[in-house]
Amino acid sequence: MTRQRLVIAALLIIAIGVFFVSGAHQWFTLETLKAYQSDFQTAFNQNPWRVAGIFFAVYVVMTALSLPGATLLTLLGGTLFGLGWGLLIISFASTLGATLAFVLSRFLFRQPIEKRFPSQLEAVNRGVEREGAFYLFMLRLVPVFPFFLINLVMGLTRIKTVTFYWVSQLAMLPGTAVFVNAGGQLGELESLGSIVSPMLLASFALLAVFPWIARRIVLLVQRRNAYQGFTRPKRFDYDIVVIGGGSAGLVTSYIASAVKAKVALVEKHKMGGDCLNTGCVPSKALIRAARAAHEVRTAHRFGVTASELKIDFAKVMEHVKQAIKDIEPHDSVERYSNLGVEVYQDHATLLSPWEVQVGDKTLTARHIVLATGARPRVPSLPGIEGAPVLTSENLWSLTELPKRLVVLGGGAIGCELSQSFARLGSQVTLVEGLPQLLNREDSEVGVLIESTLAGEGVTVITDAKALEVLNDEAGYQLVVEHYGERMLLPFDYLLVSAGRQANVEGLGLEALGITTTQAGTLELNERLQTHLPNIWACGDLAGPYQLTHAAAHQAWHAAVNALFSELKSFAVDYRYMPAVTYVQPEVARVGLNEKEAKAKGIEYEITHYAMSESDRAIAEGSPQGFIKVLTVPGKDKILGVTIVAESAGEWLGEFTIAMKHGLGLNKLLGTIHPYPTLGEAAKATAGVWKNAHKPERVLALLKRYFSWLRGA
């Protein structure tokens, strides 16, 4: 806590202490109020403005400091000022005081608590952002919840101060009116409990439900407006029509068919989408072939002398295509047809919120799930149109190894393919516009991967801006600006890995008013729903991740929300999303890294474990890399993990499970891991954390105890 916070907290504690030590709290009882009622009334009659001003100030201070007695002050206000003026004065005084308490709570406690419990507060804040006004309104209307507690707790959230003020002003009016009115019969009151009858409490409870009823009405009106101009079919051919047969669309179809919904799946190209045909599968097959070449080339490290390395690139690509062919049955039309899914291999266009044109047929469905994926983004550089450009889509048609390959983009795909083609024998130059490779990762990760690639012959140029593509007697050249100087990079092929853009064209979205974000993905709510309640999206089309497992995660939500939204729907939780870059050593991460924690203002501790300490890594000649764990200061709660190591993606799951289920480093340390394995490094990392947090006082006492036992 900062010095300023400490000073203010101390002043508040002193003020509250003085209130009780001085005996001032004894004035705020019903008996005292009744005893001095005539004196208060006389003072008010003699100087009404002065008494009203003092009353207003005292009420604000009492409420701001969360001191007991606001209810009795409200009764006194009703006695002195009557219902009209009393309600006006007390309404503004109570709201102003509550807002001051809210602001004090926010200033003193929100930042420390957010840093201490980031994940818990994040979940609360997401709910407050969606329904904060309704939620606060409900709490204010039900007298069961102490108002001072509401002020303090809401200060910990991110609800806007102006929202807190107007909702409090409005919602506290009914209760204030009841107590101000009761103040008119102060002499007849026996206890505060007699003011609030069970019937009155029931009335407040019903009033509290009103915002939710109103919200439902608003949603119904919005729904009706969204469908205005469209005629809903009286019957439907399907429960769900899924457009797109990639990872997201296949999982959506699988889940829907598993719960016996009638499903149609439309795919105009190849089943399996990018992951099977142009992404995950072929790239990993290529990486494996390139790794084999690297293992032969470096086998002398283990005392193994290999004959001259020979790479048949055409056969490498045959291996890639065979991998696709072997996995194809998992995503085939036959498999999904056997699951009960009706598969259409044609282009789909939305005609209405419930109708899809597929070839010469019109399919009707209660719900439509869009899963059309994304495609590589090619920058509009001058001269690039006629150049031999490769992307993750057409790369797999190569039959000859590029001699000179320039890779534009140093993200995951760019790094993976740069390393692979260099290992297969290409002269590779990797160009990245940002200061480091894998820019989303911490700087030490980028430095290690850049060093690794450079060590394998890749020319890495960061902080470089691509300007144009030239084609002259020297052949094709990429012109880049690097620290103010122009560089010419000759190439036989230019491999572009500069991001991906969602496939939104040709679906008829514009006619339905379905819009996109600045990133080009569809505008969706947290439940993957468009503004048309029965049209959903998942996968690369939905964002924000372009990962197959993210698409599958979203697909579950899209399918379940579409089929059961009338009963229950689920917001997508991205907190524990793992990601792996398949360079060697692999880069695997889940949760926050240091760069993100700093950007969000989250306090953390770092536990660092070098893979050069791992017996298995040493034995296999792969000591490069590290494990970096971020934890809550002073606790073993995991905020995020970055692993740079051999096969890191294979054992990242242990940390992902730990984070998902709230298991700290102590639990990992207490779990038996097989020796010698790379995954044992997870336990070793927990041991590093434990050693840094050992109880020094207890150990000092134990030292003295053992010394005593030895008679020393």
Side-chain angles (χ1 to χ4, degrees), residues 26-47:
Q26 296 176 358
W27 281 84
F28 295 92
T29 64
L30 185 59
E31 292 74 18
T32 302
L33 201 61
K34 292 169 68 174
Y36 288 92
Q37 179 182 354
S38 59
D39 295 336
F40 290 137
Q41 191 66 56
T42 300
F44 176 70
N45 292 335
Q46 292 175 351
N47 199 332

Side-chain angles (χ1 to χ4, degrees), residues 241-303:
V241 168
V242 181
I243 301 177
S247 300
L250 292 175
V251 174
T252 302
S253 301
Y254 181 92
I255 292 171
S257 64
V259 296
K260 304 306 178 184
K262 190 173 183 183
V263 185
L265 172 63
V266 186
E267 171 55 60
K268 66 177 180 179
H269 294 307
K270 295 181 179 179
M271 292 283 285
D274 291 337
C275 184
L276 173 62
N277 299 291
T278 62
C280 314
V281 172
S283 66
K284 302 312 166 285
L286 181 71
I287 287 170
R288 184 62 188 93
R291 179 172 295 187
H294 181 69
E295 289 169 350
V296 173
R297 191 179 286 116
T298 59
H300 60 85
R301 295 184 301 149
F302 305 105

Side-chain angles (χ1 to χ4, degrees), residues 319-473:
H319 157 70
V320 170
K321 292 174 182 176
Q322 187 61 46
I324 297 172
K325 186 177 180 181
D326 290 344
I327 296 175
E328 273 179 342
H330 302 170
D331 301 341
S332 65
V333 173
E334 291 75 20
R335 184 192 179 201
Y336 278 81
S337 296
N338 290 335
L339 291 172
V341 178
E342 295 185 22
V343 181
Y344 296 85
Q345 294 187 284
D346 212 325
H347 178 76
T349 304
L350 298 179
L351 300 179
S352 79
W354 305 277
E355 297 172 303
V356 181
Q357 184 73 39
V358 180
D360 57 356
K361 295 182 178 180
T362 300
L363 312 181
T364 60
R366 295 191 304 112
H367 293 275
I368 297 170
V369 176
L370 304 173
T372 52
R375 63 186 183 279
R377 181 182 288 110
V378 178
S380 56
L381 298 175
I384 199 172
E385 296 84 2
V389 174
L390 296 174
T391 67
S392 59
E393 284 190 342
N394 64 354
L395 167 66
W396 314 109
S397 62
L398 285 176
T399 55
E400 294 185 2
L401 180 71
K403 293 182 179 179
R404 299 174 302 175
L405 181 68
V406 171
V407 180
L408 185 57
I413 297 174
C415 289
E416 291 173 3
L417 294 177
S418 292
Q419 185 178 54
S420 293
F421 274 98
R423 287 178 167 185
L424 292 171
S426 293
Q427 178 186 328
V428 180
T429 302
L430 175 57
V431 179
E432 169 56 48
L434 296 170
Q436 72 166 67
L437 301 180
L438 302 178
N439 188 62
R440 293 182 178 179
E441 306 300 333
D442 288 337
S443 59
E444 62 195 294
V445 176
V447 169
L448 192 153
I449 297 305
E450 180 175 344
S451 174
T452 300
L453 295 181
E456 295 186 18
V458 178
T459 301
V460 180
I461 306 173
T462 56
D463 252 339
K465 181 181 180 181
L467 300 177
E468 62 177 324
V469 175
L470 299 178
N471 182 17
D472 52 28
E473 62 277 0

Side-chain angles (χ1 to χ4, degrees), residues 109-129:
F109 307 121
R110 190 178 79 172
Q111 188 175 3
I113 290 179
E114 272 191 340
K115 291 180 179 180
R116 196 76 172 177
F117 307 102
S119 57
Q120 293 90 333
L121 261 295
E122 185 61 33
V124 171
N125 282 320
R126 283 200 302 268
V128 167
E129 287 171 7

Side-chain angles (χ1 to χ4, degrees), residues 607-609 627 629 655 665 680-690:
T607 299
H608 199 281
Y609 176 82
I627 302 177
V629 180
F655 287 107
L665 292 178
E680 189 191 18
K683 179 175 182 175
T685 305
V688 173
W689 177 89
K690 189 69 172 180

